[in-house]
Amino acid sequence: MSRPSAVPGAELARELAAVLRGEVRFGTAERTVYSHDASNYRQLPLGVVKPADLDDVRTALALCRQYGVPVVPRGAGTSIGGQAIGPGAVVLDFRRHLGAVLDVDPQARTARVQPGTVLDDLQRAVRPHGLRFGPDPSTHSRCTLGGMIGNDSCGSHSLAWGRTADNVEQLELLLADGTELTVGGRLTPEERAALRALPGRAGELHRGLQEFTDRNLAIIRQGLPELPRRTSGYPLDALLPERGHDLARALTGTEGTCALLLGATVRLVEEPPARALVVAGYPDEGAAADAIPALLPLRPLTAEGMAADLIAALLAAGPRPPALDRLPAGECWLFLETGGATPVEAYQAARRLADEVRRERSAAVALVTDPAEQRQLWAVREAGAGIVTRLPGGGEAWPGWEDSAVPPERLGDYLRDLRGLLRRHSLRGVPYGHFGDGCVHLRIDFPLDEPQGVLVFREFLEQAADLVVSYGGSLSGEHGDGQARAELLPRMYPPEVIALFGEFKRIWDPENLLNPGALVDPRPLDADLRFVTAPRRPLPLALPYEQDGGSLAKAVHRCVGVAKCVDPNTGVMCPSYMATGEERHSTRGRARLLAEMLRGAGEPSGHRTEGAIPDGWRSAEVREALGLCLSCKGCASDCPVHVDMATYKTEFLYQHYRHRLRPLAHYSMGWLPLWLRAAALAPGAANTIARSPAAGLLKRLGGIDRRRVLPVLPPETFTRWYRRHRAAHPAPAGARPVLLWPDTFSDHLQPNVLRSAVEVLEHLGFDVRLPAGPVCCGLTWYSTGQLGTARRVLRRSLRVLAGDALPADTPVVGMDPSCTATLREDLPRLLGPDGRPLAERTRTFAEFLDEYAPHAPLPRIPLDAVTQTHCHQHAVLGSAADRRVEQRLGLRNRVLDSGCCGLAGNFGFEQGHFEVSEAIAERVLLPEVRAAAPDTVVLADGFSCRTQIAQLAEGRQALHLSELIARALR
């Protein structure tokens, strides 16, 4: 019986916090972050629990049952149908602490996992045994086994290895009433009888399920279509006697509505030692789909379809990947993978497929055997879920009709009719997906922010449901139903089957406590849309957001929840999540908080949306979440939809602290160029103070962490050295001029970087010039949201450059990546057209050598090296030129997959950030640097990266590329 309470959330939170080891979060920030998944929906939970162990799960469920509060299990939150959110529910985040691979049995080819185990972690654990888990959705780097079991996930290799349901051995379950039981695969009649005889709730459950099945055999046999990809509704046909009354299979795909998963034993398959890839090009997607039936008998591992409009969306989103050069002629491509015990065997299987493709005269074919090229091509396909959220023309596209499936032999006609339906509704989308299984992914530009948009959304989905059913298909072929499709199930199934779905859930969960409204008695498909409650009044902004129509709301809505930012293992995005494991400190979490803030700030007074953050730019929740954003810009490049959290943070800090006192660090490090210029007048005295007991007071006054070492000022700045140098060594007549940008950090703290650049460039015959007066990129003011000052600093710098008697096309070489990226990207944002000429002629040191001295002799440096790439170089500038220059040098270089160094300008120096800064560096960078041989060169062009290494890597020093080359020239 439920316990009455006027404020059940507060009381429940107190009780949970008193007894659980894991985190209990009922605050605004956490509720906001967990009110979204990767769907179109927004549903505010009552609170979030992150169980530390299975006892926490049991206790949390028991208390929620006492209070009558529903429970929603959640893995990575990448569900596209809205299955991982629930209004007024307690969300159980299994990914945070329950992600272990508990056991691997290579002989039995099984593994036992916890519900929050990330798929890639499982793959890494079983790879040494030559095994893998078969299903591999594109979110494999962050999706969990619990979520995959909940949605019956598939992936590109389901042709060979089936869906998740085909690979589940046992499920360890916790029912809503606290009963625990383990269910397995096929049962003999004797085993079924033994289950019926069990005492207590377990026996009652088994008797109820078997009686339910026996009573409805005809309806179940006749009412559920046979399809390789039917994941809509409950898989009741798994209960049939001829299918062994397979309870594990019957519960896979039930979307957390019947039981909570405590653990699972999954089957593994042999990993092909060698693979080859056939890429077949066709005139259109219909022709590609029509070719599938003839190719399937050759048993490819995959038959993935990808049309030209997906490539167009990819090119619109960023630079052209070199892998696209391997695509044969066509407007739609099939990726047909083969495997073998040896490369020759895989190649021969691929040749047979290629020969079959060539039977169609309109088809073209490419056979790719190089593993690196195959990975690059697959990366294009895997990015589809994010890429197609932005159409080639810049329009936004949304889920809704995300993964319908038909018999593969009817796919071509279905696609043609689906395109026709889109045209009739004046909608556009980019179809792609698992053509070999008849499954199509499609995001559509529903006008959900327009007055009639919701009506268009509903009408299209109803008609699309009727269309796919007319082809004998399924509303969902991979992602499940959730709120997005459950309302449409009566269009696919007769009323008797819909009634059985309800009865099946009630057998497991009679109180409707687990994920209510997801499949049975569903919420309307056009309710709870996150776009309908988007702000109606535009807010005044300081930055332009050209790619989003000048709207920060549209910019943050770029985030569709595909959650690449919560991949904890590789890439630059998102360092604060990698260090903390907290969703609100991910790019996705911050985007959700900003969206909620804008929703509250943009609504008229007295018309607040439930749960919206009401204090707008003054929000403490948003400030706290953005406080650990390092402004690394990794998301701007690595996020499939290019969410640019560094820019949004700058906007927020500007608005939040406008006409208010700022944190001390904004005055100390935000104004650092001025303080360093003053300190350079007496560097010896400044160094004495920095090494004295007064340094502690200086740090406190400046908001600097006491554990940080203040940099030592050189006896002479670079600009002073340069004046002496030029007076003694005039530039040779006729030499091509190049303008060297004396950034604050190199000029005042590490002048040898700039001096080395002068040495190298003069050796190559260039006339190295400096601006006629002091210049600054304004980065320290920009990153702390002091935009007015940043603009003034940049305008003054442009005036200085305008006074130089240099040709307008003189290249400008920046030595620090953060400063160079600011000139390249942020300068035009702040000053508009006035800033573009400087942005367009700014180069990194390596870019200049590669572009302006491509054939100049460079010294041979046959050394081993490891490189830490600065985040801003990765995100904005790129490193291709660096790799080419390194080849010219003969350098044996290894680029670390270390992401951000953790210092990130002022971030790592600020009070309250040291632990996170250190944790980020300890993830990969510092262990790699410590493990490097003493004669291995550590390269890091970023001042922040070199400083982090010097302060935390026990005596190792990193060099700028210019220093390495200059040293070889001496």
Side-chain angles (χ1 to χ4, degrees), residues 216-379:
N216 297 291
L217 288 174
I219 298 174
I220 296 172
R221 285 175 177 141
Q222 297 168 16
L224 284 78
E226 287 290 335
L227 279 171
R229 289 289 191 102
R230 170 173 54 80
T231 59
S232 274
Y234 289 135
L236 301 181
D237 47 343
L239 299 173
L240 292 171
E242 59 268 30
R243 301 194 179 181
H245 194 74
D246 189 337
L247 290 178
R249 193 178 187 99
L251 284 170
T252 301
T254 54
E255 303 182 9
T257 62
C258 295
L260 295 183
L261 186 70
L262 299 181
T265 301
V266 296
R267 290 190 282 273
L268 306 172
V269 297
E270 185 177 352
E271 177 83 71
R275 301 193 193 199
L277 180 64
V278 174
V279 184
Y282 294 89
D284 55 53
E285 67 208 12
D290 290 339
I292 288 291
L295 300 173
L296 292 182
L298 295 176
R299 304 188 68 182
L301 298 179
T302 68
E304 297 291 289
M306 185 177 72
D309 37 13
L310 188 145
I311 300 299
L314 172 66
L315 295 177
R320 176 184 175 85
L324 297 186
D325 295 335
R326 293 307 311 267
L327 294 178
E331 293 295 313
C332 185
W333 297 271
L334 293 179
F335 282 26
L336 305 161
E337 189 179 68
T338 61
T342 65
V344 171
E345 186 177 316
Y347 172 76
Q348 290 172 341
R351 280 292 304 270
R352 290 191 290 273
L353 267 171
D355 291 342
E356 183 61 39
V357 169
R358 292 189 183 99
R359 290 178 179 271
E360 172 54 56
R361 296 182 62 182
S362 65
V365 68
L367 204 163
V368 183
T369 56
D370 179 73
E373 290 185 352
Q374 291 180 55
R375 285 194 297 271
Q376 291 168 6
L377 284 164
W378 278 116

Side-chain angles (χ1 to χ4, degrees), residues 646-854:
T647 297
Y648 311 160
K649 177 182 179 179
T650 291
E651 178 80 55
F652 177 83
L653 292 177
Y654 170 76
Q655 303 286 358
H656 184 77
Y657 289 111
R658 200 174 182 189
H659 309 307
R660 302 171 80 194
L661 284 175
R662 290 173 165 271
L664 294 173
H666 287 200
Y667 299 109
S668 61
M669 287 175 282
W671 287 74
L672 189 60
L674 266 63
W675 307 136
L676 287 176
R677 195 174 302 169
L681 298 174
N687 288 333
T688 299
I689 294 172
R691 297 296 174 267
S692 74
L697 177 61
L698 281 176
K699 291 177 186 178
R700 286 197 298 275
L701 291 175
I704 297 171
D705 190 279
R706 59 178 177 78
R707 290 161 287 190
R708 283 294 178 184
V709 178
L710 298 178
V712 176
L713 295 178
E716 183 180 46
T717 65
F718 165 75
T719 50
R720 288 177 187 167
W721 171 89
Y722 174 84
R723 285 195 292 270
R724 290 193 301 103
H725 169 78
R726 182 53 72 232
H729 303 90
R736 178 167 185 174
V738 54
L739 193 67
L740 187 63
W741 185 275
D743 66 273
T744 294
F745 299 106
S746 301
D747 186 16
H748 290 86
L749 296 174
Q750 294 186 358
N752 192 57
V753 170
L754 289 162
R755 292 174 61 170
S756 297
V758 172
E759 188 173 344
V760 174
L761 295 174
E762 289 187 344
H763 172 80
L764 297 176
F766 291 97
D767 175 8
V768 181
R769 308 277 189 91
L770 291 191
V775 294
C776 182
C777 69
L779 172 61
T780 58
W781 288 283
Y782 181 86
S783 63
T784 53
Q786 301 178 74
L787 296 181
T789 306
R791 285 192 175 96
R792 288 193 295 273
V793 167
L794 283 167
R795 286 197 182 100
R796 186 188 63 204
S797 297
L798 291 185
R799 286 195 298 270
V800 170
L801 295 184
D804 288 330
L806 288 173
D809 62 346
T810 300
V812 177
V813 176
M815 300 304 292
D816 188 78
S818 60
C819 180
T820 309
T822 301
L823 295 176
R824 178 98 47 99
E825 182 176 76
D826 299 320
L827 169 60
R829 285 179 180 163
L830 286 170
L831 301 187
D834 292 344
R836 290 197 183 101
L838 176 56
E840 290 168 359
R841 59 192 178 110
T842 298
R843 301 290 184 272
T844 68
F845 181 68
E847 285 174 339
F848 180 83
L849 296 181
D850 188 53
E851 184 177 346
Y852 290 90

Side-chain angles (χ1 to χ4, degrees), residues 3 31 37 75 92 180 312 319 392 406 543 569 571 662 689 768 930:
R3 185 180 304 175
R31 293 176 64 220
D37 49 14
L92 296 183
E180 294 187 41
V406 298
L543 295 172
N569 296 306
R662 290 173 165 271
I689 294 172
V768 181
R930 294 185 189 114

Side-chain angles (χ1 to χ4, degrees), residues 3 124 166 189 202 216 233 333 339 413 418 435 450 573 664 823 833:
R3 185 180 304 175
R124 276 187 285 271
D166 300 309
N216 297 291
W333 297 271
D413 289 337
L418 186 58
F435 281 20
E450 297 178 7
M573 178 180 68
L664 294 173
L823 295 176

